Amino acid sequence: MSLWQTRWDASTKGRWTHRLIRDLRVWSRRKYVNSNFNRTWLLRKLSAQDRKKATPGCHHCSAENDDAEHTAFDCPAWNAHRTNLKNELGVNSLTTTNMIPAMLESAEAWTACTSFAVCIMQEKEEAERDREKRSTTLMAATLE
Ligand SMILES: [Zn+2]
């Protein structure tokens, strides 16, 4: 386990995940992993979404960079979701340091975090589809 931790700390990959899950011992003792884990996991999904995007800027606010951290912790577009999650977790603020420990507290907290991620992802994907539709329509209009 400590070798694993040393490698995790030294690795250059998955640094965003590392910011959230610093202590692998805590993470490995989690009890609430459900079958949706791989499908809905906040970090992975949001990061994958980032990689797909051609432009780095946030489409939902004026931020120049839209990455998983911006989406989960900063973007004002998701304030309502964040407030709900904070209430459900019983925390005053949501940070890269407290989210994972809070998430591991109970099955309810785990579900609250995954729903938070899923809701935002779905809304982002929907907005993305709308943008694609609009740009296709615009292109078609230009070609006519
Ligand atoms: Zn934003």
Side-chain angles (χ1 to χ4, degrees):
M1 180 53 95
S2 67
L3 181 66
W4 191 23
Q5 181 73 52
T6 308
R7 287 193 184 147
W8 177 235
D9 292 338
S11 172
T12 53
K13 289 182 195 154
R15 289 306 84 184
W16 148 246
T17 314
H18 184 266
R19 290 195 58 200
L20 297 174
I21 305 167
R22 272 165 251 236
D23 190 343
L24 289 175
R25 263 163 292 247
V26 175
W27 180 246
S28 68
R29 283 198 298 263
R30 69 193 182 277
K31 288 169 255 169
Y32 308 104
V33 180
N34 57 29
S35 56
N36 284 332
F37 182 69
N38 284 321
R39 208 149 45 83
T40 62
W41 196 31
L42 169 76
L43 323 168
R44 194 174 310 171
K45 285 294 252 179
L46 290 175
S47 313
Q49 214 169 36
D50 291 339
R51 281 196 296 275
K52 272 197 318 205
K53 217 161 49 158
T55 49
C58 181
H59 290 289
H60 306 273
C61 73
S62 57
E64 279 173 28
N65 284 301
D66 181 26
D67 53 17
E69 183 169 352
H70 172 73
T71 303
F73 299 103
D74 299 322
C75 188
W78 319 116
N79 274 344
H81 291 299
R82 220 172 280 123
T83 304
N84 283 343
L85 181 62
K86 280 190 282 193
N87 289 341
E88 292 195 57
L89 296 179
V91 295
N92 293 325
S93 63
L94 200 62
T95 66
T96 54
T97 318
N98 76 358
M99 191 179 87
I100 298 297
M103 181 176 180
L104 301 177
E105 288 272 309
S106 68
E108 289 76 19
W110 181 276
T111 308
C113 285
T114 49
S115 321
F116 168 74
V118 170
C119 286
I120 294 179
M121 264 161 34
Q122 284 173 344
E123 288 182 34
K124 286 190 95 172
E125 280 167 7
E126 226 166 88
E128 171 91 56
R129 278 196 297 275
D130 281 351
R131 276 193 304 278
E132 277 169 18
K133 225 185 291 170
R134 271 201 304 275
S135 72
T136 314
T137 315
L138 194 67
M139 237 188 319
T142 318
L143 291 172
E144 268 171 18

